[in-house]
Amino acid sequence: MIYGEKRVAKPIRWAMVGGGHGSQIGYIHRSAALRDFCFELVAGAFDLDFSRGKAFGQQLHVAADRCYPDYQTMFNQEAQRTDGIEAVSIATPNGTHYDICKAALLANLHVICEKPLCFTVKQAEELAELAAKQQKIVGITYGYAGHQVIEEGRRLIADGVLGDIRIVKMEFAHGFHNVAVEKDTESTKWRVDPKMAGPSYVLGDLGTHPLFIAEVLLPHLRIKRLLCSRQSFVQSRAPLEDNALTLMEYDTGAVGSVWSSCVNAGSMHGQRIRIIGEKASLEWWDEQPNQLRLEIQGEPVRILERGMGYLHDSALKEDRIGGGHPEGLFEAWSNLYARFAEAIVCKNERRRFDFWYPDISAGVEGVRWVENCVKSADLGAVWVEYQ
């Protein structure tokens, strides 16, 4: 159970690039980072409009002289300070992630980055090599993976409760972009612009979330090949897709599927993952994130509730309130930011650690999956070897 006690000896001096006023995800980054006193927000380049970003930063209690017009200026000037930043979160459109992440690593900073990490596997592998050379962590904000019952599912699978895994069924399919909302919504407009969003829309924006949860639950599975079909039902979004269906074969003989969509009319969120083994199945739905459904063949369905004593100790470790009280996405993000902080401290002290978090390899894998999906779809929805 988390009681708010300090997780690191002193808060990590932290900055943000992006995440300014009106940002969809800026506040959840700050709420998660600051909740457990793991980070202290001391600087930022919050907005392309410097005066607006500076005013916003001051409203966050950041000193005026540490609100910067751009990330390059921030990295350069903070490096001159004895109390300069140690880590930075990147909460900007996709097309900027590679350049900012690379600059941050070269400035000897730890990085927490929105997904996708970048646009190509070549870029992703370059960043991974640079992070290793600089001895810095790069965390990717797959925030849903911070829900505690995901860890319970991981432990049940590792204990063999499901037996050999046969099928992995994933989806993230909401309905809020069933029409061209980007015409009137700035935060959506860049997501359908290939220059800013990259080679995909919903594959990278949505599909990589359940894909990473599957990686957490099933770390032993490796994709062997896949087939992807993608569509632009709102024609103005072409060549980017607003719906995609991906089939996968794993090296163990298991099969998987991912439905990525923003045109699932009527669906509030629609992120689910179902793991089917030879003896039992698990299912998690992010609209009921405190529950894990366990179905053992021939037995009654069991609904495992967050915070209950029958769960594994590792699934109880990051509870913030007792069972029966619902926890949500802010708590899940806070759990990941606490892990990022502990990983940063371990990396700084050259100490090994055995806990998982969405690291640079998760970022690389997300980019790799999107790249392979786009390749398959653009070849006419054919099977391609996973590379």
Side-chain angles (χ1 to χ4, degrees), residues 61-88:
H61 304 284
V62 176
D65 65 341
R66 299 184 79 173
C67 296
Y68 297 97
D70 53 68
Y71 70 88
Q72 297 98 328
T73 302
M74 179 169 70
F75 294 165
N76 290 335
Q77 294 193 15
E78 286 291 315
Q80 308 306 313
R81 301 177 63 110
T82 57
D83 62 347
I85 59 174
E86 302 167 280
V88 63

Side-chain angles (χ1 to χ4, degrees), residues 5-12 36-38 341-342 345 349 351:
E5 299 156 304
K6 65 181 182 181
R7 307 279 288 268
V8 295
K10 58 180 179 180
I12 295 161
D36 296 319
F37 306 101
C38 291
E342 291 175 342
V345 171
E349 298 176 355
R351 287 193 285 116

Side-chain angles (χ1 to χ4, degrees), residues 130-141:
L130 181 57
K133 177 182 178 182
Q134 297 293 88
Q135 286 292 297
K136 298 299 175 185
I137 79 146
V138 177
I140 310 298
T141 52

Side-chain angles (χ1 to χ4, degrees), residues 52-335:
R52 186 171 60 192
K54 182 176 181 179
F56 181 72
Q58 290 179 273
Q59 290 296 313
L60 301 177
H61 304 284
V62 176
D65 65 341
R66 299 184 79 173
C67 296
Y68 297 97
D70 53 68
Y71 70 88
Q72 297 98 328
T73 302
M74 179 169 70
F75 294 165
N76 290 335
Q77 294 193 15
E78 286 291 315
Q80 308 306 313
R81 301 177 63 110
T82 57
D83 62 347
I85 59 174
E86 302 167 280
V88 63
S89 287
I90 302 170
T92 55
N94 300 354
T96 64
H97 293 177
Y98 169 76
D99 288 336
I100 301 173
C101 186
K102 183 176 181 179
L105 289 170
L106 290 172
N108 211 32
L109 298 171
H110 297 281
V111 180
I112 298 163
C113 187
E114 274 293 321
K115 52 83 193 142
L117 177 64
C118 52
F119 285 171
T120 69
V121 172
K122 182 179 179 180
Q123 290 178 331
E125 290 178 340
E126 178 189 344
L127 292 176
E129 291 175 6
L130 181 57
K133 177 182 178 182
Q134 297 293 88
Q135 286 292 297
K136 298 299 175 185
I137 79 146
V138 177
I140 310 298
T141 52
Y142 289 120
Y144 302 100
H147 284 289
Q148 299 94 304
V149 294
I150 300 298
E151 178 66 18
E152 179 67 12
R154 175 184 171 95
R155 294 295 177 174
L156 289 170
I157 293 168
D159 288 348
V161 173
L162 275 65
D164 289 339
I165 302 305
R166 294 173 171 173
I167 303 166
V168 186
K169 185 174 183 291
M170 296 159 274
E171 61 184 61
F172 197 157
H174 68 73
F176 285 97
H177 296 171
N178 63 314
V179 295
V181 297
E182 57 269 21
K183 292 181 179 179
D184 302 309
T185 308
E186 287 295 325
S187 61
T188 305
K189 186 177 295 184
W190 67 262
R191 297 177 188 275
V192 297
D193 180 353
K195 294 179 182 178
M196 295 302 293
S200 78
Y201 173 21
V202 294
L203 285 164
D205 199 47
L206 302 178
T208 53
H209 279 293
L211 185 77
F212 176 69
I213 291 174
E215 292 171 15
V216 172
L217 292 168
L218 303 160
H220 63 290
L221 291 191
R222 297 290 181 272
I223 301 171
K224 182 179 179 181
R225 63 177 191 154
L226 61 71
L227 179 154
C228 179
S229 173
R230 60 176 182 163
Q231 300 78 36
S232 306
F233 285 112
V234 177
Q235 290 298 312
S236 59
R237 292 171 180 159
L240 301 189
E241 79 290 337
D242 50 25
N243 188 80
L245 301 169
T246 305
L247 301 178
M248 299 177 294
E249 293 180 353
Y250 294 98
D251 56 0
T252 62
V255 296
S257 64
V258 184
W259 177 25
S260 314
S261 183
C262 65
V263 295
N264 183 18
S267 173
M268 285 298 295
H269 215 229
Q271 182 179 193
R272 296 176 187 261
I273 182 167
R274 183 174 177 84
I275 312 294
I276 301 163
E278 62 175 326
K279 298 188 291 186
S281 301
L282 283 175
E283 184 168 317
W284 181 78
W285 178 27
D286 74 352
E287 293 182 39
Q288 297 178 0
N290 291 265
Q291 298 179 340
L292 184 68
R293 185 181 178 96
L294 173 61
E295 303 171 11
I296 300 174
Q297 182 62 34
E299 299 182 12
V301 172
R302 303 172 191 179
I303 304 299
L304 308 182
E305 294 278 357
R306 184 206 60 78
M308 299 305 293
Y310 50 71
L311 303 179
H312 287 79
D313 289 344
S314 60
L316 297 169
K317 183 178 179 181
E318 292 176 326
D319 284 336
R320 294 169 182 274
I321 195 169
H325 299 280
E327 292 189 13
L329 190 60
F330 277 74
E331 288 74 23
W333 275 67
S334 297
N335 292 341

